[in-house]
């Protein structure tokens, strides 16, 4: 089929941006939005024009590198699906797709569709880790974890770090991302020892870099890892707990 | 008194004269069948002699140390933040070294380790299923078809125990039994249950744990993390590695990071096949640049093809996503018995189907090892039995399993995978058989290193899939996440300090040094040469064409004729690339066309060496199957002549698109604990 792409072009951070219109022919419905961009880029380079810069890597929904806004929706039309898995089958021949970067105050545009999501790593750096050095860990079997607890930790640990939650949120909050990390680590025996210290460090950074959470719930609708909304609640819950413990 | 020698056991003394302690003749490498190949030196892997089971303990005890007061005086560059890179960078940071970590990704967490699904092996041997450290080694060495180092398999087994403890401690939520202990499963054709996992996301959970441990060191100030920064060359001074040249992918700036030691943990190069289970950006540049600077590449052509990848069904499909091997537990693989039969699968009656794996390998059937399954599929496809729009795949049919177990059971077992398949192809695998095809997946080959994981360039170390020593000619499933973790957390943090201990007080080179200026100038010249081609075709055209050549002739089955043809075609393609490639824009900003063209240029050189290695090695072993070297279709290994690792170096000045000549160095391989034996899956 033939599709028209209206795609965001921006030469660099802070530069003015604009939409450019291109027609791509010979596209099949089971291809992804990113494969459409591949086709467009080959066409552009072959005609001497610069390709549209966009990010992706695994193309199987696990690395979190991809992320574009399609027709106003973070990642694309289908809920809980990353851009690399957003299929074109929902578009009729001749449709127009508007593709732009993930839009969020905390994610400045680097070029075209690439944004800088480094603020998410800043949260991890602040406290999303475990203070155990190589070689010093105790026997993993000597620290039993209930099956359900391990599975629950994994539900939160599944976050792929794509940043769509931030882009989908009208406030640009990163509570789904931060909460998923706090929950993931709080549920496990050794990592939970730093629970209090961690939540203070992560939330301080969260408040500085991202918007506030007003419980819109848009994040969970976009999230390709299916992180549950309880992650948002966890941010406050963990913070309260830390405050209480500090006072005791 | 004995009168007769027993039949079949001739009396050695009688035949060869009295037994004198003979010195074995010096080992000699066989001649090469590949034109122009030079025979190089016999390499010494510097393995600790004696019992391989205790080699690592003895070596570690002999390592020299760096005092904790001195660690901060050393700068170490680590390229790659996958399991191997994040591990070694974090561990060295914990020890107080000054580490510079590089990745071309925007975040350390995205390294392709994240995509591994199945699990990670460990020789913890807690169960009473007969597993042991020794059995792990036997499985690994045999699985690799005796083309890897036995002593390194022991190290892998030994350190695997604490890899699980460590990754668990730093945040990987391993699957647990109801009783709270670690769960394991059986994986990759072994008869014990030693694979640890987290659902189908083992790589992701290990990778996130490793990346956050790395971030902890960034927070502490021991590691400087350079994201979106691609290493493009090495600084080498008189055979000693002194740093890297890198390009900031956001600003285009090229800069040099000097170092006392450099680690390449840059992953596998399976993406040379264009379509593969690797990520879009996976590439060989770091490895190939090291070869160009004097390192050698071992077992260049040993590539594992995964039998259950999604087939390519249309031109723009970007990759062959891996479907979990576990599907073969319940799916039956078949093709139409009649070549060219284009009927839909449901219209092909049972007696007109060929369940070729069950037919040819009755004892293993649909669970035959990866290389055998991949090869059998290719035979069927080449003989015209392939199915799907491009006739390039085989069926994986669940109809019997649904009939036997019911749809619910299959949903519980494979629900996610079936959904993923349906999503990717638009077909419902509950009603229509899945289609699968062999896809390039894992490179057993990699930079040759000694037992301390140092290359022929002093101070240049390697970890993870970029290395070579564990997996021989065929990797055992779930052993590579392990090897990346062992290298990163529990091998390089011992062996690098041993090297650095001799470097105390040595000055880091700076912009005034010739080695730095030359390295910088090389990168600039190469970038200018690429942009200067000024052709009319995107690099992706050449990459796609290269992939076709590689799948056709340097793939799951290889012939002398096909390999010779591939070498010619690759050379011709490389020439065309350097005349016709188009790179719009400049090098002074984000330029993905430039990034890709640089990687494809390196693939076009590496690919030739892969074909040469495959042509040179006149035997079949593991994933390297030479049609001429087979008995009734079964691989024929030749331990008399080929029980050695080929490590290739490239001679000649580097000119864009220029000719290369190759030298084959050899490291003879010997086995003490696992007697040489032939695999059989009949
Ligand atoms: C789909 C899939 C499934 C798999 N499943 C399993 C499994 O179940 N079990 C198992 O044991 N193994 C599995 N494997 C294999 C295993 O995942 C890999 O071998 C292993 O993760 C490689 O780790 P690594 O650290 O060596 O490299 P990677 O994780 O690939 O990391 C490479 C790093 O190097 C960086 N890099 C590369 N070149 C440069 C450069 N020039 N400049 C800067 N940075 C650079 C990248 O940015 C990245 O950070 C699977 C592989 C694939 C593809
Ligand atoms: S919480 Fe979901 S949307 Fe947010 S970064 Fe993680 S995976 Fe992406
Ligand atoms: S490209 Fe990796 S998640 Fe989309």
């Amino acid at each position: 089929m033939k599709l028209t792409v209206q795609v965001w072009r921006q030469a660099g951070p802070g530069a003015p941006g604009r939409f450019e219109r291109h027609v791509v022919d010979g596209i099949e419905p089971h291809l992804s939005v990113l494969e459409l961009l591949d086709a467009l880029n080959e066409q552009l380079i072959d005609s001497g024009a610069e390709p549209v810069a966009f990010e992706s890597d695994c193309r199987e929904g696990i690395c979190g590198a991809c992320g574009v806004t399609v027709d106003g929706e973070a990642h694309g039309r289908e809920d809980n699906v990353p851009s690399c898995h957003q299929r074109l089958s929902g578009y009729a021949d001749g449709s127009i797709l508007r593709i732009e970067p993930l839009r969020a105050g905390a994610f400045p545009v680097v070029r075209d569709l690439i944004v800088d999501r480094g603020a998410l790593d800043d949260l991890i750096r602040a406290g999303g880790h475990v203070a155990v050095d190589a070689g010093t860990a105790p026997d993993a079997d000597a620290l039993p974890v209930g099956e359900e607890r391990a599975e629950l930790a994994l539900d939160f640990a599944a976050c792929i770090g794509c940043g769509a939650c931030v882009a989908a949120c009208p406030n640009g909050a990163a509570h789904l991302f931060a909460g998923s990390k706090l929950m993931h680590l709080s549920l496990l025996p050794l990592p939970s020892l730093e629970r209090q210290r961690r939540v203070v460090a992560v939330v301080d950074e969260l408040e500085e870099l991202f918007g506030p959470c007003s419980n819109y719930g848009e994040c969970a609708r976009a999230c390709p890892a299916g992180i549950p909304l309880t992650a948002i609640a966890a941010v406050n819950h963990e913070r309260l707990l830390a405050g209480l413990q500090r006072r005791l | 008194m004995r009168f007769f020698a027993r039949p079949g056991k001739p009396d050695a003394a009688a035949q060869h004269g009295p037994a004198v302690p003979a010195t074995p003749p010096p080992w000699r490498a066989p001649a090469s069948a590949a034109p122009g190949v030079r025979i190089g030196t016999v390499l010494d892997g510097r393995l600790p002699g004696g019992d391989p089971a205790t080699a690592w303990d003895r070596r570690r005890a002999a390592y020299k140390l760096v005092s904790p007061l001195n660690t901060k005086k050393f700068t170490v560059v680590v390229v790659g933040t996958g399991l191997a890179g994040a591990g070694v960078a974090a561990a060295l940071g914990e020890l107080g070294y000054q580490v510079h970590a590089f990745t071309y990704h925007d975040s350390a967490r995205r390294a392709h380790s994240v995509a591994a699904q199945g699990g990670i092996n460990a020789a913890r041997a807690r169960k009473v299923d007969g597993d042991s450290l020794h059995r792990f080694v036997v499985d690994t060495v045999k699985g690799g078809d005796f083309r890897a180092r036995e002593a390194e398999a022991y190290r892998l087994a030994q350190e695997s125990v604490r890899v699980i403890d460590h990754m668990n401690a730093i945040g990987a939520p391993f699957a647990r039994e109801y009783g709270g202990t670690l769960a394991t499963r059986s994986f990759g054709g072994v008869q014990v249950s030693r694979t640890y996992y987290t659902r189908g996301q083992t790589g992701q959970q290990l990778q996130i744990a490793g990346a956050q441990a790395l971030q902890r060191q960034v927070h502490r100030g021991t590691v400087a993390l350079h994201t979106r920064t691609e290493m493009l060359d090495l600084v080498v001074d008189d055979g000693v590695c002194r740093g890297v040249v890198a390009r900031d992918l956001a600003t285009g700036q090229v800069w040099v990071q000097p170092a006392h030691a450099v680690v390449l943990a840059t992953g596998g190069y399976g993406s040379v096949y264009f379509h593969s289970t690797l990520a879009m950006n996976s590439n060989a540049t770091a490895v190939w640049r090291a070869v160009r600077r004097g390192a050698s590449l071992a077992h260049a052509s040993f590539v594992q093809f995964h039998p259950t990848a999604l087939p390519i069904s249309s031109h723009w499909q970007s990759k062959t996503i891996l479907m979990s091997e576990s599907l073969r537990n319940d799916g039956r693989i078949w093709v139409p018995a009649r070549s060219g039969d284009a009927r839909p699968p449901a219209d092909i009656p049972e007696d007109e189907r060929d369940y070729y794996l069950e037919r040819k390998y009755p004892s293993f059937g649909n669970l035959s090892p990866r290389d055998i399954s991949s090869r059998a599929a290719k035979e069927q496809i080449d003989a015209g039995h392939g199915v799907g729009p491009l006739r390039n795949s085989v069926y994986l049919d669940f109809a019997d399993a649904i009939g036997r177990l019911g749809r619910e059971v299959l949903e519980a077992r494979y629900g996610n995978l079936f959904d993923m398949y349906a999503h990717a192809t638009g077909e419902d695998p509950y009603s229509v058989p899945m289609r699968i095809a062999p896809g390039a997946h894992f490179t057993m080959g990699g930079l040759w290193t000694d037992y301390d994981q140092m290359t022929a360039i002093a101070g240049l170390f390697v970890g993870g899939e970029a290395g070579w020593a564990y997996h021989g000619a065929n990797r055992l499933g779930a052993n590579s996440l392990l090897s990346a973790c062992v290298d990163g957390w529990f091998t390089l943090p011992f062996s690098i300090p041993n090297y650095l201990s001799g470097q105390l007080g040595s000055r880091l080179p700076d912009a005034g040094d010739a080695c730095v200026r030359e390295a910088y100038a090389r990168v600039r010249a190469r970038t200018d040469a690429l942009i200067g081609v000024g052709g009319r075709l995107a690099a992706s055209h050449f990459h796609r064409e290269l992939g076709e050549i590689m799948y056709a002739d340097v793939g799951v089955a290889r012939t002398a004729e096909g390999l010779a043809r591939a070498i010619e075609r690759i050379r011709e393609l490389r020439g065309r690339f350097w005349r016709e490639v188009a790179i719009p824009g400049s090098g002074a900003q984000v330029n993905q066309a430039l990034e890709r063209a640089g990687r494809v240029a390196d693939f076009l050189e590496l690919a030739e060496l892969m074909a040469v290695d495959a042509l040179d090695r006149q035997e079949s072993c593991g994933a390297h199957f030479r049609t001429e070297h087979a008995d009734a279709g079964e691989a024929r290994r030749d331990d008399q002549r080929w029980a050695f690792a080929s490590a290739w170096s490239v001679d000649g000045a580097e000119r864009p698109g220029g000719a290369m000549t190759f030298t084959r160095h050899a490291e003879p391989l010997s086995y003490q604990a696992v007697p040489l034996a032939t695999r059989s899956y009949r």
Side-chain angles (χ1 to χ4, degrees):
Chain A
M1 57 187 189
K2 193 191 263 189
L3 293 170
T4 299
V5 185
Q6 268 185 324
V7 64
W8 183 260
R9 304 303 303 253
Q10 181 173 338
R18 69 196 152 79
F19 282 101
E20 222 174 63
R21 223 182 146 86
H22 296 281
V23 176
V24 188
D25 205 353
I27 291 300
E28 280 147 44
H30 65 265
L31 293 174
S32 70
V33 167
L34 301 189
E35 284 161 340
L36 172 66
L37 287 173
D38 289 340
L40 168 63
N41 276 346
E42 197 169 284
Q43 182 176 314
L44 286 171
I45 299 176
D46 289 355
S47 65
E50 291 188 55
V52 178
F54 72 96
E55 236 158 0
S56 79
D57 205 31
C58 71
R59 298 275 175 113
E60 49 184 289
I62 196 74
C63 74
C66 66
V68 292
T69 306
V70 187
D71 297 331
E73 308 258 16
H75 276 315
R77 276 189 181 178
E78 225 182 309
D79 287 349
N80 304 115
V81 171
S83 297
C84 57
H85 274 340
Q86 292 278 342
R87 304 286 150 194
L88 298 169
S89 40
Y91 292 88
D93 194 14
S95 307
I96 302 176
L97 281 82
R98 203 175 58 153
I99 306 181
E100 51 190 321
L102 290 181
R103 301 287 191 188
F107 296 164
V109 170
V110 176
R111 189 174 187 189
D112 296 342
L113 305 176
I114 301 181
V115 295
D116 179 356
R117 289 165 289 186
L120 295 178
D121 274 343
D122 291 344
L123 294 182
I124 301 297
R125 202 170 293 152
H129 39 67
V130 184
V132 175
D133 283 356
T136 64
D139 185 334
D141 275 312
L143 299 166
V145 184
E147 190 263 357
E148 279 180 34
R149 201 179 177 83
E151 292 300 310
L152 187 62
L154 198 49
D155 286 342
F156 290 104
C159 164
I160 63 172
C162 62
C165 47
V166 181
C169 175
N171 296 346
H175 281 55
L176 199 68
F177 174 84
S180 72
K181 181 51 66 184
L182 294 175
M183 284 306 290
H184 157 204
L185 294 178
S186 290
L187 285 162
L188 299 172
L190 272 182
S192 68
L193 298 178
E194 294 168 77
R195 190 169 184 173
Q196 200 176 334
R197 198 171 76 149
R198 178 177 305 119
V199 67
V200 173
V202 170
V203 171
D204 278 355
E205 199 79 3
L206 182 67
E207 286 175 348
E208 188 172 326
L209 298 174
F210 296 92
C213 170
S214 336
N215 290 310
Y216 285 110
E218 287 296 319
C219 51
R221 205 164 61 78
C223 174
I227 302 296
L229 273 178
T230 43
I232 297 185
V235 174
N236 288 325
H237 166 257
E238 292 281 305
R239 182 164 43 181
L240 267 174
L241 210 67
L244 278 178
Q245 277 171 358
R246 221 172 337 178
R247 248 171 273 139
L248 286 178
Chain B
M1 177 127 185
R2 198 149 53 94
F3 294 96
F4 302 103
R6 264 189 295 159
K9 278 221 170 168
D11 186 336
Q15 289 206 339
H16 305 293
V20 276
T23 39
W27 188 87
R28 286 188 57 140
S32 181
V37 163
R38 289 187 222 167
I39 303 302
T41 52
V42 177
L43 294 169
D44 177 4
R46 288 185 277 274
L47 280 91
D51 183 2
T54 59
W56 180 228
D57 285 337
R58 285 180 285 122
R59 176 57 58 89
R60 256 190 324 187
Y63 277 151
K64 292 194 280 299
L65 306 177
V66 172
S67 144
L69 295 174
N70 285 332
T71 51
K72 62 176 173 299
K73 296 180 183 159
F74 291 106
T75 301
V76 179
V77 159
V78 177
V79 187
T81 63
L83 284 178
V88 62
L92 290 176
E94 289 163 7
L95 293 170
Y97 293 91
Q98 290 201 29
V99 180
H100 287 265
F102 290 78
T103 169
Y104 52 68
H105 289 105
D106 68 315
S107 168
R109 63 183 293 153
R110 310 219 198 275
H112 199 51
S113 291
V114 84
Q117 302 167 352
I120 175 168
N121 286 340
R124 291 165 73 87
R126 298 286 163 93
K127 292 194 168 158
V128 291
D129 61 356
D131 200 9
S132 67
L133 205 129
H134 179 72
R135 200 175 292 272
F136 177 102
V137 171
V138 171
D139 288 341
T140 302
V141 170
K142 279 192 177 170
D145 222 3
F146 296 91
R147 292 296 174 263
R149 286 193 190 128
E150 190 183 47
E152 303 226 16
Y154 270 106
R155 183 174 64 211
L156 196 63
Q158 187 179 341
E159 294 293 9
S160 69
V161 178
R162 52 179 175 167
V163 160
I164 302 299
D165 294 336
H166 184 58
M167 300 317 281
N168 175 69
I170 62 173
F174 283 109
R176 297 278 173 161
E177 302 291 355
Y178 287 110
T181 54
L182 293 168
T184 54
R185 58 184 171 207
S186 178
F187 194 74
V190 300
Q191 289 160 309
V192 292
S193 180
R194 66 162 78 101
T195 307
Y196 295 78
Y197 63 97
T198 59
R199 286 186 202 149
Q201 306 155 6
T202 314
Q204 183 203 21
Q205 292 309 316
L206 296 175
Q207 173 61 22
I208 289 174
Q212 69 198 22
L214 178 67
Q215 297 290 9
R216 172 170 165 250
Q217 294 308 310
V218 177
H219 193 61
R220 284 184 65 212
T222 56
V223 174
L225 177 60
H226 307 284
T227 53
R228 283 196 218 284
T229 309
E230 181 158 32
M231 170 251 168
L232 292 177
D233 214 330
L234 294 170
V235 177
V236 180
D237 186 16
D238 205 11
V240 182
C241 187
R242 289 298 193 178
V244 295
V245 189
R247 179 170 177 271
D248 182 325
L249 301 180
T251 63
Q253 195 192 356
V254 174
W255 56 283
V256 174
Q257 176 60 52
H260 295 97
V262 172
V263 183
L264 298 185
T266 51
Y269 52 81
S271 38
V272 66
Y273 288 82
F274 187 68
H275 288 125
S276 73
T277 64
L278 275 81
M280 301 307 286
N281 296 301
S282 297
N283 68 80
T285 288
V287 162
W288 190 249
R289 293 290 104 205
V291 171
R292 283 306 210 159
R293 296 283 78 75
S296 32
L297 190 65
H299 290 327
S301 69
F302 288 3
V303 180
Q304 183 170 81
F305 293 84
H306 206 290
T308 50
L310 275 185
I312 291 298
S313 301
S314 70
H315 181 77
W316 290 111
Q317 187 179 325
S318 49
K319 66 176 284 188
T320 50
I321 294 179
L322 179 69
M323 300 296 294
S324 167
E325 193 152 42
S326 63
L327 291 169
R328 293 201 278 147
N329 283 311
D330 286 308
R332 294 181 70 195
I333 294 173
W334 64 274
V335 292
R338 182 165 54 80
S339 163
D341 186 344
R343 287 175 291 174
D347 296 352
I348 302 180
E350 202 54 36
D351 60 347
E352 292 179 43
R353 300 175 174 192
D354 181 8
Y355 294 88
Y356 57 88
L357 281 179
E358 297 172 13
R359 169 171 61 80
K360 291 171 75 171
Y361 307 98
S363 49
F364 280 79
N366 296 299
L367 289 172
S368 295
R370 289 182 184 175
D371 54 333
I372 291 180
S373 308
S374 291
R375 210 150 57 226
K378 173 152 198 298
E379 271 171 28
Q380 296 298 330
I381 294 167
D382 286 351
H385 299 270
V387 298
L390 303 180
R391 308 228 147 280
N392 59 357
S393 51
V394 299
Y395 289 127
L396 178 61
D397 196 336
F398 293 90
D400 280 5
I402 292 172
R404 197 176 63 239
L405 304 164
R407 187 181 161 120
E408 288 72 37
V409 174
L410 283 217
E411 264 173 18
R413 280 189 196 161
Y414 310 111
N416 283 349
L417 292 165
F418 277 36
D419 289 350
M420 173 163 118
Y421 181 86
H423 198 83
T425 60
E427 287 168 19
D428 172 22
Y430 292 102
S431 52
V432 184
M434 277 188 184
R435 286 183 300 108
I436 54 169
H441 179 53
F442 181 87
T443 39
M444 279 76 71
L447 288 172
W448 183 85
T449 53
D450 63 13
Y451 185 73
D452 302 322
Q453 303 200 309
M454 191 166 85
T455 63
I457 303 175
L460 179 66
F461 291 81
V462 182
E465 197 176 332
W468 78 281
Y470 302 111
H471 310 295
N474 189 32
R475 170 194 67 128
L476 219 58
N479 257 8
S480 44
L481 289 177
L482 176 64
S483 57
C485 287
V486 167
D487 289 354
W489 289 103
F490 297 114
T491 303
L492 292 165
F494 294 102
S495 67
I496 292 175
N498 174 60
Y499 168 79
L500 291 175
S501 67
Q503 301 280 314
L504 196 64
S506 85
R507 185 183 73 87
L508 284 182
D510 57 33
D513 287 284
C515 59
V516 169
R517 286 205 309 273
E518 283 162 19
Y520 181 82
R522 270 198 307 269
V523 169
R524 293 246 62 121
R526 195 173 160 79
T527 307
D528 291 347
L530 280 167
I531 291 182
V533 173
R536 316 177 67 102
L537 285 174
S540 48
H541 292 285
F542 301 94
H543 194 184
R544 192 179 286 118
E545 199 174 329
L546 178 64
E548 280 161 17
I549 299 173
M550 297 299 283
Y551 268 110
D553 285 328
V554 199
V556 298
R558 298 141 181 210
T559 63
E561 191 194 347
L563 289 163
R565 178 171 57 224
I567 292 169
E568 281 313 307
R569 290 181 65 196
I570 293 164
R571 286 182 184 154
E572 185 274 334
L573 184 64
R574 190 166 67 233
R576 241 185 314 130
F577 171 90
W578 281 100
R579 287 191 304 276
E580 294 176 9
V581 73
I583 302 169
S586 81
Q589 59 181 142
V590 174
N591 189 337
Q592 293 181 323
L594 175 64
E595 292 164 27
R596 280 179 202 147
R599 294 168 189 167
V600 173
D602 286 331
F603 282 142
L604 284 165
E605 297 186 358
L606 165 70
E608 182 178 333
L609 175 55
M610 291 171 72
V612 167
D613 178 47
L615 179 59
D616 174 66
R617 184 165 281 271
Q618 296 174 72
E619 66 161 348
S620 295
C621 54
H624 168 67
F625 186 81
R626 284 284 302 270
T627 314
E628 307 92 332
H629 302 284
D631 298 313
E634 292 309 294
R636 189 171 64 229
R637 213 176 61 214
D638 179 357
D639 294 325
Q640 280 294 323
R641 298 169 67 232
W642 293 96
F644 66 89
S646 304
W648 296 89
S649 63
V650 183
D651 322 291
E654 204 181 333
R655 277 182 303 106
M660 295 178 289
T661 50
F662 302 109
T663 302
R664 186 231 293 142
H665 309 284
E667 179 186 331
L669 299 167
S670 60
Y671 298 88
Q672 293 178 37
V674 191
L676 278 164
T678 316
R679 284 197 316 169
S680 172
Y681 292 96
R682 285 275 181 196

